[in-house]
Amino acid sequence: MPGLEVENLHVRIENKKILHGITLNVEYGSIHAIMGPNGSGKSSLAYTIMGRESYEVEEGDIRLDGESLLDLPTEERALKGIYMALQDPPQVPGVRLSTLMIAAINKKLGNLDLTRVKDPSIVKKMYKYAEELNLSRDILQREINVGFSGGEKKRSELLQALVLEPKVIILDEPDSGLDIDGVKKVANILKELKAEGKAIMLITHYARMFKYVTPDIVTVIIDGKIAVQGGPEVANLVEEKGYAYIRQRFFKR
Amino acid sequence: MAEQAVRIREDILKGADSPDLLGWLDKPYKAEIELRGKITRSLVEEISRIKKEPDWMRRLRLRSLELFYKLPMPKWIVGIEEIDLDVLSHYVKPEAQTTDEWQDLPEQMRRYYEKLGLPELEAKFLAGLVAVYDSETVYARMKEYLRRKGVIVLPLEEAVQKYPDLVKKYFLRVFPPSDHKFAALHGALWSGGTFIYVPPGVKVREPIESFFLIGRQGEGQFEHSLIVADEGSYVHWIEGCSAPRFVGYSFHNGMVEAYAHRNATVKITTIQNWSRNVINFNNKRGIAEEGARVDWVEGSIGSRMTYVYPSTILKGDNSSTRSVVVTLSKGPYLKDSGSKVIHVGANTKSKIVNKSISAEGGVNVYRGIVRIVRGAKNANAHVECDSLILDGKSKAHTFPHNQVDEPTASVSHEAKTGRLSEQQLFYLTSRGLTDDEAKSLIVLGFLDEIMTELPIEYANVLHRVIQLEFSELGAVG
Ligand SMILES: Nc1ncnc2c1ncn2[C@@H]1O[C@H](COP(=O)(O)OP(=O)(O)OP(=O)(O)O)[C@@H](O)[C@H]1O
Ligand SMILES: [Mg+2]
């Protein structure tokens, strides 16, 4: 089973070309780390996979289990099993975190009334994972990201991934802003998710998380292009030498 | 069965094309009398004659008519050119007598109310129910225990005959016809409506509902409701409005007058979901005596244009009011609303909450007034205006107006405008929701605190109506 495939992806936002031919696979039961300096196009890649408006695919393809996603709106990509934990998720005043998760589950199950809890076990599930992530229960009743701390936002993104049970999980810098215990926690959860067979795309600047969870593949993106792709040793190279070195070594001129 | 009744009731509240209703729409219920055309003295006299009114009421109508001729068109009204008053049916008496037994209603009409779920709602939840069809009350009843306590729930016409002194004391005195041209027109043409009187100390724990239905196009509906709560009493009155969809427009120009005597409480809840061709004009005012309270909750969903400004005069010391108005303009429609409070007594308190939702080119205008007259010592007013704008085509305007002539008084005002951003919409759709589903979640969240104030049955209806508005089914023109 192929999982998520990105092939020769060229992306433009308005008049600015951001991705120049990205090719990579995220297989089930594996972790594919995406690294790169600020502004290199990591988040843009994730948004394009989710089909966000204004990220225009000029060339190439994105496939899930062999099927192209390009013609599908964002919600249908989500329903096919792709989940994205945002780097900086927006506040959504008025909508409680639990309400969103309940609506997303009802939608997936085809229940018409999105706000009603049909099966109380989902509430238990939310509590269980909140606890696992060291989130207090009342965060579920708070408005999404309103007044959440940086760490709470990251954890709430991961909480949704656990509750919604997607097949492919894209995590855009789940570690930034987390304390060391938080980083370990996230790494452990990723290990479990991998063991369950999820396809995980992990975007991060730093290799510090890789002390606790080893990626199967590491791809470094610089200026919207792949600089280097390889095993965990690529992450070590980045950590030791920095992006400037990588840029020089892998991009001529 | 109950489920179905609720569903159909929602359909009707929505003005949707339920096949059950279309059958009914083919032939509007037969009218026994229909008066249409120019608004003249003889038209007004004719209405009064049909109702066999006492002379004082006839004269009150004619005086209102004079005012209607004299008063200028209010400047704040837009879109009124569409209303050609001279071609409307100003009085439509359906072929039915007022009854207090559902089974006495003509079969077609009874079945219609059954589909709306009204008899069931009445039995389970209401202390009394008045159903107005076109211009006349066709059903009125209250529970026996209230009759024993001396509570009066009657069609206003019947109250005029049976309790003239009581009616005279309040009728068009809380809201004088001289206020503006449409109040005057209402005074001249009023028909149908509810009279409620609660004796001193009686607390009516279950709500009383009046349900108004416009049954044909080109109709003007001018129902009048008068709610009087005597000293220390309590009453909650619910107003439901509906009209199936017609080709032409209809005009609604109703009035509500509420009077809360010393230490009494009157609560008024309106859920308005007229169809998209009703031009809705609503005149609402309450007076609170010492220690009394008048509360308004207005949910204005339907209609093409709505003008509604629930107003309270805090006449007595320590009286208070809370006015919550929710308006939704989804599509090329207008809601012009705003609560008004006049503080006269000392230590009076008011809270105004206005929430508007604009989508798909909809426009909401808030035009509230807080006036604190000299001598209203330590009066306190708080105004909150929240606007939610769901796309770039839609608008919300806020024109609060405060006039404070008392130095010890305080007025605070909070205004917030939330615009749904592309990022928020992307976020919610990335969890599997369509744009419309995402919007309905945001709207329901925006209204959350208000939903909790509505009786559960009505909160449920409102909840589902909003979900429907933001579903494909709701995308009606
Ligand atoms: N909506 C947009 N309009 C214009 N330019 C954009 C937009 N979104 C991203 N960009 C630009 O695209 C480039 C890639 O941005 P992106 O957010 O994908 O980088 P990133 O690798 O995720 O960076 P970081 O590590 O800082 O999160 C940047 O130059 C950014 O300014
Ligand atoms: Mg980024």
Side-chain angles (χ1 to χ4, degrees):
Chain A
M1 275 293 252
L4 180 71
E5 297 168 278
V6 174
E7 189 188 320
N8 187 32
L9 194 65
H10 290 257
V11 173
R12 169 186 296 282
I13 306 178
E14 281 143 33
N15 293 318
K16 190 171 170 200
K17 183 130 181 199
I18 291 179
L19 298 180
H20 308 260
I22 301 287
T23 299
L24 52 85
N25 291 345
V26 188
E27 283 174 22
Y28 292 120
S30 80
I31 296 176
H32 188 142
I34 310 285
M35 302 186 76
N38 288 130
S40 57
K42 305 181 297 297
S43 296
S44 301
L45 172 62
Y47 286 138
T48 309
I49 293 170
M50 280 321 290
R52 185 167 179 178
E53 203 184 283
S54 78
Y55 289 75
E56 194 190 322
V57 175
E58 290 192 319
E59 214 185 310
D61 202 2
I62 302 166
R63 287 185 296 268
L64 178 66
D65 302 337
E67 240 180 277
S68 175
L69 299 175
L70 289 187
D71 292 335
L72 300 181
T74 299
E75 67 271 15
E76 283 179 38
R77 299 184 194 202
L79 293 173
K80 286 206 180 289
I82 307 183
Y83 176 88
M84 175 180 180
L86 273 68
Q87 179 176 356
D88 187 16
Q91 299 188 353
V92 190
V95 182
R96 298 169 202 274
L97 180 56
S98 57
T99 306
L100 174 59
M101 286 191 275
I102 288 162
I105 288 172
N106 278 326
K107 182 64 194 283
K108 210 165 83 178
L109 298 176
N111 296 332
L112 281 180
D113 187 346
L114 296 181
T115 51
R116 194 156 48 187
V117 178
K118 271 208 167 165
D119 173 5
S121 74
I122 80 166
V123 177
K124 274 197 201 134
K125 200 155 122 188
M126 289 193 284
Y127 283 156
K128 186 183 116 191
Y129 289 127
E131 199 167 312
E132 200 173 317
L133 285 161
N134 288 329
L135 283 168
S136 88
R137 278 184 182 193
D138 36 271
I139 204 156
L140 297 168
Q141 295 313 316
R142 282 169 61 187
E143 299 168 72
I144 297 167
N145 297 321
V146 176
F148 285 21
S149 74
E152 281 171 340
K153 280 188 198 167
K154 299 285 180 190
R155 280 178 242 224
S156 136
E157 292 294 288
L158 198 53
L159 171 67
Q160 294 172 57
L162 294 171
V163 172
L164 302 182
E165 300 185 350
K167 297 196 279 190
V168 177
I169 303 173
I170 301 169
L171 300 148
D172 194 353
E173 301 193 19
D175 51 334
S176 63
L178 287 191
D179 55 33
I180 186 68
D181 293 348
V183 172
K184 272 192 212 166
K185 181 104 247 167
V186 171
N188 281 331
I189 287 173
L190 293 188
K191 257 192 239 168
E192 280 168 33
L193 288 169
K194 174 181 163 175
E196 283 169 26
K198 311 285 187 202
I200 297 164
M201 180 167 144
L202 171 61
I203 298 173
T204 181
H205 285 283
Y206 309 108
R208 62 173 182 166
M209 196 190 273
F210 303 155
K211 270 193 268 177
Y212 313 106
V213 57
T214 317
D216 298 274
I217 301 178
V218 177
T219 297
V220 178
I221 296 180
I222 296 178
D223 299 340
K225 293 185 270 275
I226 293 183
V228 53
Q229 199 164 61
E233 71 283 356
V234 172
N236 296 334
L237 192 68
V238 169
E239 192 77 339
E240 271 167 40
K241 306 272 172 113
Y243 289 117
Y245 169 82
I246 306 264
R247 184 196 300 268
Q248 260 182 11
R249 166 143 176 225
F250 293 98
F251 291 145
K252 285 160 202 134
R253 263 170 299 166
Chain B
M1 182 58 218
E3 272 274 315
Q4 200 203 345
V6 169
R7 186 179 55 73
I8 294 174
R9 181 156 203 235
E10 283 159 12
D11 284 353
I12 293 170
L13 281 168
K14 273 210 52 56
D17 289 326
S18 159
D20 289 332
L21 298 182
L22 285 177
W24 175 80
L25 265 182
D26 281 344
K27 35 179 171 74
Y29 191 75
K30 229 172 129 192
E32 188 183 308
I33 304 172
E34 184 174 351
L35 302 179
R36 49 193 319 135
K38 273 203 162 357
I39 298 161
T40 58
R41 193 182 163 96
S42 65
L43 177 99
V44 172
E45 300 247 24
E46 179 69 4
I47 292 173
S48 189
R49 198 186 55 76
I50 292 165
K51 292 180 182 293
K52 302 188 180 70
E53 283 176 351
D55 204 46
W56 62 269
M57 183 56 86
R58 191 183 61 93
R59 286 204 311 268
L60 203 48
R61 285 182 186 275
L62 292 173
R63 217 177 66 220
S64 301
L65 182 69
E66 287 308 314
L67 285 166
F68 169 68
Y69 289 146
K70 253 197 270 169
L71 287 166
M73 187 60 88
K75 280 200 206 52
W76 36 271
I77 289 186
V78 296
I80 210 81
E81 20 344 304
E82 284 194 50
I83 308 173
D84 182 357
L85 292 172
D86 291 345
V87 303
L88 291 174
S89 301
H90 304 292
Y91 176 78
V92 182
K93 183 180 184 327
E95 216 177 51
Q97 301 305 318
T98 311
T99 173
D100 60 0
E101 291 289 346
W102 289 109
Q103 67 202 40
D104 291 346
L105 285 180
E107 163 135 15
Q108 190 191 354
M109 195 181 273
R110 193 194 75 223
R111 278 218 309 267
Y112 187 58
Y113 281 119
E114 279 168 0
K115 281 177 188 162
L116 282 162
L118 283 182
E120 206 182 311
L121 196 74
E122 180 194 17
K124 273 208 223 137
F125 178 63
L126 298 171
L129 176 70
V130 176
V132 175
Y133 196 102
D134 291 336
S135 306
E136 288 288 354
T137 303
V138 293
Y139 178 89
R141 183 182 181 137
M142 73 173 149
K143 291 200 170 143
E144 191 47 41
Y145 74 94
L146 292 176
R147 198 184 308 278
R148 274 186 259 118
K149 287 185 173 168
V151 176
I152 302 169
V153 177
L154 282 179
L156 185 56
E157 283 86 344
E158 206 177 319
V160 167
Q161 307 289 350
K162 285 191 181 155
Y163 305 97
D165 294 337
L166 199 52
V167 173
K168 227 190 273 184
K169 226 168 115 183
Y170 305 96
F171 183 79
L172 292 188
R173 289 185 181 228
V174 179
F175 204 131
S178 54
D179 248 52
H180 61 73
K181 197 173 181 72
F182 287 94
L185 180 65
H186 175 92
L189 298 178
W190 78 269
S191 181
T194 311
F195 176 71
I196 298 173
Y197 171 78
V198 186
V202 175
K203 301 205 181 339
V204 184
R205 283 300 168 203
E206 296 163 301
I208 297 169
E209 172 164 339
S210 298
F211 196 85
F212 300 101
L213 214 135
I214 295 180
R216 66 199 61 231
Q217 64 171 297
E219 178 178 332
Q221 192 178 53
F222 299 90
E223 93 288 341
H224 191 108
S225 300
L226 177 55
I227 321 295
V228 179
D230 218 325
E231 289 196 9
S233 68
Y234 174 96
V235 64
H236 181 188
W237 180 61
I238 295 174
E239 191 187 24
C241 312
S242 174
R245 207 135 46 93
F246 307 110
V247 187
Y249 70 86
S250 290
F251 178 53
H252 175 256
N253 181 14
M255 187 177 279
V256 177
E257 296 182 283
Y259 204 101
H261 282 274
R262 235 177 106 237
N263 296 329
T265 297
V266 177
K267 265 182 88 162
I268 295 175
T269 300
T270 301
I271 296 192
Q272 178 274 105
N273 209 348
W274 297 116
S275 61
R276 289 307 182 191
N277 34 28
V278 172
I279 294 170
N280 177 36
F281 213 96
N282 236 318
N283 308 286
K284 302 189 159 178
R285 188 173 298 164
I287 295 179
E289 296 267 22
E290 189 189 333
R293 183 174 183 95
V294 174
D295 284 352
W296 306 91
V297 175
E298 173 98 21
S300 193
I301 310 293
S303 83
R304 184 208 301 248
M305 284 174 256
T306 282
Y307 300 91
V308 63
Y309 316 93
S311 309
T312 307
I313 300 170
L314 297 173
K315 189 173 157 204
D317 293 351
N318 301 308
S319 57
S320 60
T321 180
R322 187 158 188 278
S323 181
V324 176
V325 177
V326 177
T327 59
L328 170 68
S329 294
K330 182 171 177 277
Y333 309 114
L334 169 72
K335 299 268 154 50
D336 196 308
S337 70
S339 305
K340 303 188 176 176
V341 181
I342 302 176
H343 291 254
V344 181
N347 303 314
T348 45
K349 261 190 139 150
S350 66
K351 180 165 181 182
I352 293 174
V353 179
N354 190 276
K355 287 194 170 242
S356 77
I357 301 144
S358 312
E360 291 170 26
V363 178
N364 281 287
V365 180
Y366 172 80
R367 228 187 278 276
I369 293 179
V370 173
R371 237 187 93 195
I372 301 187
V373 305
R374 200 182 192 99
K377 294 225 172 340
N378 302 317
N380 181 292
H382 181 70
V383 182
E384 262 175 52
C385 284
D386 277 359
S387 314
L388 178 63
I389 301 172
L390 292 177
D391 51 56
K393 292 186 292 183
S394 308
K395 292 196 174 74
H397 305 289
T398 310
F399 304 111
H401 181 80
N402 299 335
Q403 189 189 330
V404 183
D405 296 326
E406 166 58 43
T408 62
S410 64
V411 181
S412 53
H413 184 95
E414 261 177 69
K416 272 187 281 179
T417 300
R419 239 172 241 281
L420 179 65
S421 67
E422 184 275 331
Q423 201 199 9
Q424 290 168 322
L425 199 57
F426 166 72
Y427 185 72
L428 297 176
T429 53
S430 79
R431 275 32 175 173
L433 308 176
T434 62
D435 283 12
D436 273 350
E437 287 163 347
K439 285 176 188 171
S440 89
L441 272 200
I442 286 187
V443 169
L444 289 172
F446 179 70
L447 298 181
D448 203 32
E449 56 169 295
I450 283 165
M451 294 283 193
T452 58
E453 298 202 5
L454 289 175
I456 183 83
E457 281 77 1
Y458 293 84
N460 285 344
V461 170
L462 194 60
H463 190 106
R464 286 220 248 160
V465 165
I466 285 170
Q467 281 196 325
L468 264 169
E469 271 293 320
F470 285 93
S471 69
E472 274 151 50
L473 284 172
V476 286

